[in-house]
Structure formats: C-alpha cells, structure tokens
Amino acid sequence: MANSGANKTTPAGRQAYLDARQAARQIRLIEAQQAILDRPIGHAVLFTRTNPALAPKTARFIEQRFRDLAIPVLATPLVDREAYRALFSFGGTLADLASHGVRHLEPATANVRAIVDDLLALLAQRASTLRPRAIA
C-alpha cells in the first residue's frame, strides 16, 4: 500500500489513504501474530463513514486493493449518518435516540443490522473451516 496510486491530493483522499495505510499496518500485525501462534486469527475490513449516495474513486480503489490482496472486506459499509454521531452526544442505543428528536433512525438501524448479518455469515463460514486443536 506504500505507493497505492490513490488520489492523495484532496483532504478526503488523503484521509482515505492514511486510513488504508493504518489498516494495512494492523493487518500485518495480525498476520505476524498468526505466524507466532500458528493459528488463524479471524479479521475483516469494515469501511466506515461512507457516503450512501456515491463511492469516491479513492474508496473504490482502496477496497479493490484489499480484495486483490485477499483481505476480507465486509460487504456492507457503515454509512455516515447523523444517528451514529448522535450516539456520542446522547449515549444509549439507536432506539433511544428517538426521544432526543434524532430522525432517520430506520436507515441507520437497517445499516447496522446488515453489518451484523455480514459478521454472522463470516463467523459461520469461518466456523465451518476450523479444525479442532489438541490441548497440550
């Protein structure tokens, strides 16, 4: 990812590039730990704060780069929504935010449910490929 070719000239492009570099560092750390432990450590990339209306060229490039490197990417991104930002202000859960006048909770809830479905599918897929380990 060092010279990814992603557009680093715009603020959003720079941030996406820096986020991708940090993610790559974390994935290398996971891979090193897998080697030390001699066992797989489940991991996947979740894209956050995405725009629901469009996917910038930089984001599409970075996502494709992860896929090219066989790094699992969750199918559903966490879309940038006011409801998620309101959680930091008011606390509680998405369901609690209606009492604070936060609107458009249904799309936020549907987004989170889709991510949970992706995670459950990924866990089920990984569980089916696990081999029992002998306890020493």
Side-chain angles (χ1 to χ4, degrees), residues 56-80:
K57 188 183 294 187
T58 303
R60 288 192 313 266
F61 174 85
I62 291 169
E63 182 174 355
Q64 186 57 51
R65 187 79 174 111
F66 280 129
R67 292 187 191 285
D68 291 346
L69 295 170
I71 297 169
V73 176
L74 292 181
T76 306
L78 184 66
V79 175
D80 188 17

Side-chain angles (χ1 to χ4, degrees), residues 26-45 70-72 122-123 126 129-131 133:
Q26 297 305 313
I27 291 165
R28 285 193 297 276
L29 177 63
I30 291 168
E31 290 169 346
Q33 293 299 309
Q34 289 178 135
I36 291 168
L37 298 172
D38 191 31
R39 69 176 186 89
I41 299 172
H43 61 283
V45 173
I71 297 169
L122 184 61
L123 288 171
R126 289 193 177 152
T129 62
L130 290 177
R131 64 186 196 296
R133 292 180 53 92

Side-chain angles (χ1 to χ4, degrees), residues 12-136:
R14 266 193 306 279
Q15 187 61 49
Y17 174 76
L18 294 172
D19 289 347
R21 284 183 53 102
Q22 184 60 33
R25 279 191 212 110
Q26 297 305 313
I27 291 165
R28 285 193 297 276
L29 177 63
I30 291 168
E31 290 169 346
Q33 293 299 309
Q34 289 178 135
I36 291 168
L37 298 172
D38 191 31
R39 69 176 186 89
I41 299 172
H43 61 283
V45 173
L46 170 65
F47 284 93
T48 60
R49 300 183 65 195
T50 63
N51 184 327
L54 62 104
K57 188 183 294 187
T58 303
R60 288 192 313 266
F61 174 85
I62 291 169
E63 182 174 355
Q64 186 57 51
R65 187 79 174 111
F66 280 129
R67 292 187 191 285
D68 291 346
L69 295 170
I71 297 169
V73 176
L74 292 181
T76 306
L78 184 66
V79 175
D80 188 17
R81 297 191 184 279
E82 175 59 27
Y84 303 141
R85 289 187 293 277
L87 286 171
F88 291 98
S89 298
F90 301 111
T93 67
L94 284 173
D96 299 331
L97 294 177
S99 65
H100 295 284
V102 178
R103 300 178 11 200
H104 308 295
L105 295 174
E106 297 82 11
T109 302
N111 185 210
V112 170
R113 285 189 175 135
I115 292 169
V116 169
D117 289 345
D118 289 351
L119 287 169
L120 291 174
L122 184 61
L123 288 171
Q125 174 191 8
R126 289 193 177 152
S128 70
T129 62
L130 290 177
R131 64 186 196 296
R133 292 180 53 92
I135 299 175

